[in-house]
Amino acid sequence: YLFRDRTMSLATISSALIGVAMFGSTVYLSQYFQLARGMSPTKAGLMTVAMVVPLMVSSLISGKVITRTGVWKRWLVGGMVLVVAAMVLLGTIDESTHLVVVGLFMAVLGLGMGATMQNLVLAVQNNVPLHQLGAASSVVAFFRSMGGSAGVSVLGAILGTQVADKVAAGYQAAQRPPSVDFGSHAIPDLGALPGWEAGIWEHGFGASIGELYLIAAPAAFLAFLC
């Protein structure tokens, strides 16, 4: 019966789509920095600061303003505009994109996420009776997690296929045999490969992970419509 309410229904659908778009794509950012840019796991983790800090600032500011004014819809709509724009921008990255540019695109995504994720829950909490507060909040959070799980699975499968195709095409273009067992489907240690071969793998991951954002962008756009 909770879903008879329009705000509840639209917020739940939005949460699921946001999970697909944001969790499903951002989880592979660490792979981009490690496998396409040659960073260590520690450095790859530190790169996420470019997204996390704007997310924190956006969440704090929007929360304070909403508390003072009671107006929340503009934050959801504006936040999703930034998320959709960031998805399209991140869809242009590859292994050669300047890291400052990648960081700026991540910052735009963080700003949009901060203004959207928690405020969706807030919109639902302010629209149901007090005795339904826990159930309504849990539903929105659950569907966001479920969308994220589905997004990670589907986009991960797409990523694996794209990388395999691009790497195979790279070896064919180079007209040189691989020094690794390409048929094993294992990711080689790129630092141990010769430069020409490491470049093939870096391009495979860099271009493929960038394309994931373009695939996830329609889900973000549908969340914006909701």
Side-chain angles (χ1 to χ4, degrees), residues 6-16 18 120-121 123-124 140 226:
R6 183 168 176 265
T7 299
M8 180 71 194
S9 298
L10 291 175
T12 302
I13 296 170
S14 297
S15 291
I18 288 170
L120 265 177
V121 180
V124 168
V140 174
C226 289

Side-chain angles (χ1 to χ4, degrees), residues 187-200:
I187 300 173
D189 179 8
L190 301 189
L193 297 179
W196 68 270
E197 192 169 15
I200 290 175

Side-chain angles (χ1 to χ4, degrees), residues 6 9 18 39 51 62 76 88 103 117 128-129 157 163 167 183 187 189 194 198 204 221:
R6 183 168 176 265
S9 298
I18 288 170
M39 293 184 182
M51 180 176 64
S62 64
L76 291 180
V88 174
M117 292 175 60
V128 296
V163 170
V167 169
I187 300 173
D189 179 8
F221 181 71

